[in-house]
Amino acid sequence: MSYSDWDLYNCSEDHEERYVVGLFKEKDQPSVQAFLRAKCKDNTIYRMRHDALYALIEKELKIKRK
């Protein structure tokens, strides 16, 4: 199945990071931001589907979205 660009996380777009970080409680946002940056740096989440990314964040950081 192919996905549109809208469905995939783009590490090079600042607004993508802000959007995803904003989905989590304020106290968790620094951890989410650090997670995104680290996983983008090692290409783990490069062009990952948004739903898969949210699940990964929740699993790895043991937090839930707002």
Side-chain angles (χ1 to χ4, degrees):
M1 174 184 244
S2 64
Y3 294 95
S4 95
D5 188 55
W6 289 99
D7 298 322
L8 304 173
Y9 186 75
N10 186 339
C11 290
S12 66
E13 297 289 337
D14 291 338
H15 71 273
E16 292 258 13
E17 179 182 290
R18 287 191 304 270
Y19 175 78
V20 174
V21 168
L23 295 174
F24 293 86
K25 295 176 186 170
E26 191 171 339
K27 70 179 182 75
D28 296 324
Q29 290 179 358
S31 297
V32 173
Q33 184 177 45
F35 178 87
L36 291 173
R37 290 180 179 181
K39 296 302 182 186
C40 280
K41 189 174 183 176
D42 71 11
N43 286 325
T44 302
I45 62 171
Y46 179 73
R47 298 190 53 79
M48 180 179 274
R49 287 188 340 265
H50 283 260
D51 59 338
L53 175 59
Y54 306 151
L56 181 66
I57 292 168
E58 290 176 351
K59 178 183 174 190
E60 295 284 322
L61 299 180
K62 297 177 180 27
I63 58 174
K64 296 286 183 189
R65 287 179 275 167
K66 294 185 206 176

